[in-house]
Amino acid sequence: MISPQQYFTKRHPIAFPIWQSSVVGIAGAGGLGSNIAISLARAGVGTLIIADFDTVSIENLNRQQYSLAQVGKSKVEALADNIKAFNPFIKLEIHHIKVNPANLNSIFSSADILIEAFDDASQKEMLINTWLELFPCRPIIAASGIAGYGKNELIHSTSYDKLHIIGDMQSELEPGISPIAPRVATIANMQANLALELLVVNHNKADK
Amino acid sequence: MIDSTFTVNDHKLPWREGLVVQDALDMMNYTFKMLVIKLNGYLVKKDDYASTPIPQDAELRVIHLISGG
């Protein structure tokens, strides 16, 4: 069995210990959430809290990090299996549940940062408003405008104090067409990348 | 005399006594439903759009959320 010392090699000397002691919440385990979770687990975030009510379906495989063998399984369980297969040291808290204003606090209260990874705009709105009301000092990183392909130059990050939004802020989904793997994964990884940055920035602020 | 103003997403609009957040959405012809609104940095809840007054020189941020994930 590999040890943590053997596994966690060539890591950033300052940032990695901060990430190891951090808790990141991910609301949704679809095209955004599955990619975010895998990147943060590889980077070495110590604890991930992941919530999603859905199960893996064939139509998810065009962009979400699941396999054919996982069709029918709960997304959070399938994602936990996939993460544990490459990082056995991460702590995963999974919740097979639909997040709502009444349960958000009990699911994500220990998260230093919440990442919004829902599909539906009304759910995005609910999550952002509830989080900022409950935890006005903790960041939330949302995505808006992920549909289509190409147009790299339109994807950007905008911040409004603790609320950060990544996407092109304009591309609407066309009926019957899913988000497309590279663009949704790009935005997911920009969300994950910003989370890693904010964890370090906030840790350094707390030290002062 | 300089007329009083406030801004919505960096657009300058004329201010008057009694303006509420919903008035600003109407003035901007914003019809989309899924919004996060910050008034001078503070979150405004959906239920409060019609009752939250806009102070003079206020900065209103209206963030439109699009489905997909």
Side-chain angles (χ1 to χ4, degrees), chain A residues 6 13 37 55 101 184-185 187 190:
Chain A
Q6 289 169 309
T55 52
V184 67
I187 290 163
M190 286 176 71

Side-chain angles (χ1 to χ4, degrees), chain A residues 50-62:
Chain A
I50 308 169
D52 194 301
F53 68 95
D54 207 2
T55 52
V56 179
S57 66
I58 295 231
E59 65 184 34
N60 297 148
L61 303 184
N62 60 12

Side-chain angles (χ1 to χ4, degrees), chain A residues 155-189:
Chain A
I155 299 171
H156 63 283
S157 178
T158 308
S159 296
Y160 309 91
D161 192 27
K162 300 299 176 190
L163 169 61
H164 306 265
I165 303 186
I166 296 175
D168 68 15
M169 320 295 164
Q170 56 183 262
S171 294
E172 304 269 2
L173 288 170
E174 292 179 57
I177 302 177
S178 296
I180 298 170
R183 209 159 192 267
V184 67
T186 296
I187 290 163
N189 277 299

